[in-house]
Amino acid sequence: LKMALLGDSGVGKTALAHQLVRQTFSETFPTAGAEFFSYLVDLAGPGLCRVQLWDASGDDLASDSGASLHLLNGVDAAIVAYDLSCTDQTTIDGWLGRVADQAPSSAAVGVVGCKSDLTSSTAPALRAGLVPDQAVVGAVSARTGAGVREFFHNLVLVAWRSRSGGQAVLSAEPRDSTMVQSADAPPAQGRRMALDAARAQQQQQQ
């Protein structure tokens, strides 16, 4: 499965990816270009499913709609991340609009509020009607790990069901063995080239 992380710069997308795949937290600098993480999810029924999670610079995506077009090409799931402490939800609407316009119609949609450890409430305060009815919604903390595995596990289940035509019988409960393997992202000097590589791959397929 291919999944893509979108959202404003500084909301915590890269820290979230590190917590998911490596179970670690560190203060990260803004992502330059794009990077990806690969890990295996243990699904009851189909067995192991490899997930490739793409994380791109929020500034690059915001300033270049073509960047998000290439990032969302062929995704099985698109995730819009936002800062739970931010009261302005205009940009969330904008990112969801990009997903609706540029991602495959079969792609699962996730909306995740980050930095729940810094807010007084763990529930995303989203405006009514903002999020698609079938979206997977969650509140997480990359610092403590709270909610991270559960959110991604549930999103993977929805994406797998969509990809398999709804025929797979899956467990909706995360297990200790959910994340059983991870692969490091490309070296820092190669991150800026990763999105260009995705673009080139799409052009070759056309």
Side-chain angles (χ1 to χ4, degrees):
L1 297 177
K2 177 185 176 183
M3 305 173 75
L5 264 173
L6 297 90
D8 294 345
S9 178
V11 300
K13 299 186 300 297
T14 301
L16 176 60
H18 278 264
Q19 178 59 245
L20 171 70
V21 178
R22 300 171 183 164
Q23 292 83 55
T24 60
F25 172 81
S26 62
E27 300 289 347
T28 58
F29 294 100
T31 301
E35 60 182 320
F36 66 88
F37 303 81
S38 179
Y39 66 97
L40 295 177
V41 177
D42 187 6
L43 299 175
L48 294 179
C49 171
R50 180 171 293 280
V51 178
Q52 188 177 78
L53 178 63
W54 282 83
D55 167 34
S57 163
D59 287 338
D60 287 352
L61 293 175
S63 62
D64 181 8
S65 62
S68 58
L69 175 63
H70 291 287
L71 185 71
L72 291 168
N73 178 53
V75 297
D76 297 291
I79 306 156
V80 174
Y82 69 100
D83 187 338
L84 280 169
S85 65
C86 181
T87 58
D88 182 8
Q89 299 181 0
T90 305
T91 58
I92 302 175
D93 196 19
W95 290 117
L96 286 171
R98 292 235 191 145
V99 171
D101 293 339
Q102 299 177 342
S105 59
S106 59
V109 178
V111 179
V112 60
C114 300
K115 306 179 184 179
S116 65
D117 56 298
L118 300 180
T119 63
S120 58
S121 173
T122 58
L126 294 172
R127 186 176 70 249
L130 177 65
V131 179
D133 292 339
Q134 302 302 316
V136 176
V137 180
V140 302
S141 168
R143 182 181 298 273
T144 67
V148 174
R149 287 159 60 97
E150 292 82 359
F151 171 79
F152 278 95
H153 187 88
N154 291 334
L155 185 60
V156 167
L157 294 183
V158 173
W160 184 272
R161 288 193 184 103
S162 177
R163 182 169 178 171
S164 62
Q167 299 302 311
V169 178
L170 306 174
S171 167
E173 294 299 324
R175 297 179 290 175
D176 290 342
S177 59
T178 298
M179 311 305 173
V180 296
Q181 179 179 327
S182 64
D184 288 341
Q189 62 267 28
R191 293 173 184 170
R192 187 173 294 277
M193 301 171 60
L195 195 54
D196 292 335
R199 290 173 175 168
Q201 182 179 13
Q202 181 186 14
Q203 292 171 354
Q204 292 174 359
Q205 294 172 350
Q206 293 177 342

